[in-house]
Amino acid sequence: MIEGTALDPVAFWARVRPDRVALRDKSESMTYGRLEKSVSRVAESFSDEGLISGEHVSIEFDVGHGIHFAITLHALHRLGLMPVLIGARLTEPERVALRTRGQVDFALTTTPERIAEPGASFRVPPVKPAPYERRLDSPAALCFTSGTEGKPRAIVLTHGNFLWSALASGRNLGVRANDLWLACLPLHHVGGLSVLTRSSYYGTAV
């Protein structure tokens, strides 16, 4: 088990290098300062919905919503919520089955919906945790394997997994402040997700 804590990377880089580019797509470029504002706003909206630390929230965004995916992921991490990554191009029955296996409480799709038993009510949101630290052994994402030899398996990755992956990649490839990562893989796959997380630790752009 990996012990210790890490700083919230978006909050950190927004404080020390707010004008550095964090995310870019064909129509938009977002600095760390602007990303921090967006993450804070989305985290506040989740808290207002009554979502509490530990609940499972699925991200089911299509490939054209990469910046929104990144903002949502960082916002969920900030509140201690568990991102459950589900491909938007799966059929509805397939996505429902993965939500069930991932014990999803709230699904983020084009029409967000809370998954709850009849009569369930929103809970009062707790006091927000300080956004600058997170435990390395705490869950950071629930991903599903490809399922080539059977049903997809649910795999939990921790913040420590992503941090050490970033450190190993940086040692092997090197890191420069003006690096720009090209994210070709789907962001709900660990390959695409790792590009987002390691770049945020480096303070580079995707």
Side-chain angles (χ1 to χ4, degrees), residues 12-14 16-23 29-35 175-179 199-205:
F12 174 80
W13 288 112
V16 300
R17 292 289 188 272
D19 295 330
R20 185 178 290 178
V21 174
L23 302 169
S29 182
M30 181 172 282
T31 64
Y32 275 96
R34 186 174 161 214
L35 176 59
V175 181
R176 295 174 299 182
N178 62 345
D179 280 348
S199 183
S200 66
Y201 278 121
Y202 301 154
T204 56

Side-chain angles (χ1 to χ4, degrees), residues 16 57 107 114 141 148 150 171 176 185 198:
V16 300
V57 179
R114 174 173 284 278
T148 53
R171 180 178 180 180
R176 295 174 299 182
L185 297 171
R198 77 169 61 110

